[in-house]
Amino acid sequence: MGTTTRRNASAMRMVGALLALYRQNAGLTQRSLGERFVVGEQQIASIEQGRRPLKPDLAERLDELLDTKGALSTALSRMPEVDLVPLWAEEYLDREREAIAISSYENQVLPGLLQTEAYAWAVFRSRVPFYDEDTIARLAAARIERQGILHGKDAPITCFVVWEPVVRAPIGGREVWAEQLRHLRACSELPGLMLQILPLDRTSHASLDGPFVLLETPEHQRLAYTENQRGSQLIADPDEVAILTQKCAMLRSQALTPEDTRGLLDRLLGEQ
């Protein structure tokens, strides 16, 4: 997933401060406002602090409830764009940043959370239409920054299932590939992180339809995220999320154990 820096941080804080002012004037707490829209106290707090963007549909509903005469929607529409993060990816990035559990299946490239900077550069250089070098540098830096969630004090529980051809593909050349394999091997030892490779010689495969990500929020809401060539979808419908959860469980049973995965990585590294 191609990502760069977030929207203009100062503008986000300004919109958040406006929301906080209107909320307080209406005599509402963050919790009571969040309960009205079934989004939770934490999400309202994140918006007010400028850590999460206010979405247009929620802005319209807040304008109506708080009787702001469209002030929030207008402020949101005039926010300066300073990044390349597509609107359809912003919500996912916000949820990923706060998730308490992440499960991912990939069959094309390695998950962004597990990529080295050199591998990320190679992925972005492969894009058509092509990115210029400055854009690639910003994209790669932001991808590496995202990985901080794996090393923080409150790191989420993470499970990555990766199809074997992805691990064997020398994206970026042999040196980049070898460095990436060493990084994967190191990541596989992180507390709370489970890495499993789905072997190429499997005769059954639970997700031939493509990659996906499952998230669990601090409020224990379960979400799913899928991408295609021209966009993506964040899925909240419980029935749809349940289907992908079943796929994930099957994939984990079809994949190598974490211990056998480390053995495969060791063998691949030994061939370098």
Side-chain angles (χ1 to χ4, degrees):
M1 177 173 55
T3 61
T4 60
T5 55
R6 292 171 56 80
R7 283 177 177 267
N8 184 289
S10 296
M12 286 178 58
R13 286 195 294 270
M14 180 199 70
V15 172
L18 282 175
L19 173 57
L21 175 64
Y22 293 135
R23 172 183 58 75
Q24 291 164 3
N25 288 343
L28 296 170
T29 65
Q30 292 176 342
R31 173 175 294 182
S32 61
L33 183 61
E35 289 174 348
R36 297 239 184 157
F37 294 99
V38 199
V39 297
E41 177 182 2
Q42 187 169 10
Q43 182 168 335
I44 296 297
S46 295
I47 293 171
E48 292 186 354
Q49 294 163 13
R51 295 186 291 109
R52 169 179 285 185
L54 177 61
K55 297 299 186 295
D57 58 341
L58 182 56
E60 291 179 5
R61 294 162 62 198
L62 287 167
D63 278 331
E64 182 177 354
L65 173 68
L66 302 175
D67 193 25
T68 62
K69 307 299 190 292
L72 291 172
S73 296
T74 300
L76 189 63
S77 68
R78 302 299 172 87
M79 282 181 62
E81 295 282 355
V82 295
D83 59 34
L84 296 177
V85 177
L87 290 174
W88 44 261
E90 281 188 348
E91 179 71 8
Y92 170 75
L93 293 177
D94 292 330
R95 296 307 182 96
E96 178 190 77
R97 196 172 289 108
E98 298 175 352
I100 62 173
I102 302 173
S103 297
S104 168
Y105 167 67
E106 274 290 353
N107 65 354
Q108 298 170 342
V109 295
L110 290 170
L113 291 174
L114 299 181
Q115 293 180 12
T116 65
E117 186 171 6
Y119 185 95
W121 269 78
V123 169
F124 291 126
R125 277 201 173 114
S126 299
R127 181 186 184 271
V128 178
F130 301 108
Y131 284 134
D132 60 56
E133 293 294 291
D134 288 342
T135 299
I136 292 174
R138 292 196 300 271
L139 290 165
R143 177 158 293 181
I144 300 306
E145 183 182 3
R146 279 174 56 208
Q147 298 173 7
I149 66 172
L150 299 180
H151 306 281
K153 178 181 177 181
D154 299 316
I157 299 297
T158 50
C159 173
F160 300 93
V161 178
V162 181
W163 200 23
E164 185 176 346
V166 176
V167 179
R168 290 185 175 273
I171 300 295
R174 306 294 293 189
E175 291 185 8
V176 171
W177 180 50
E179 179 192 21
Q180 179 64 71
L181 288 178
R182 289 192 292 271
H183 182 67
L184 283 179
R185 184 63 177 81
C187 287
S188 73
E189 300 283 359
L190 288 174
L193 189 151
M194 183 181 299
L195 175 62
Q196 296 179 260
I197 294 175
L198 183 66
L200 184 58
D201 61 4
R202 285 284 316 186
T203 58
S204 59
H205 189 308
S207 190
L208 293 173
D209 294 333
F212 60 89
V213 180
L214 298 171
L215 302 176
E216 183 177 352
T217 73
E219 298 81 22
H220 303 292
Q221 180 185 16
R222 287 173 171 78
L223 304 170
Y225 179 78
T226 61
E227 285 191 345
N228 56 43
Q229 290 277 344
R230 302 300 299 157
S232 72
Q233 183 180 17
L234 187 65
I235 304 167
D237 180 85
D239 292 336
E240 295 298 321
V241 174
I243 291 173
L244 291 175
T245 300
Q246 293 166 13
K247 285 178 179 284
C248 185
M250 186 62 71
L251 284 167
R252 292 177 64 175
S253 71
Q254 294 172 342
L256 298 176
T257 66
E259 293 76 16
D260 289 342
T261 291
R262 285 192 282 270
L264 175 57
L265 291 173
D266 288 339
R267 290 193 295 275
L268 291 173
L269 284 166
E271 296 170 3
Q272 301 305 304

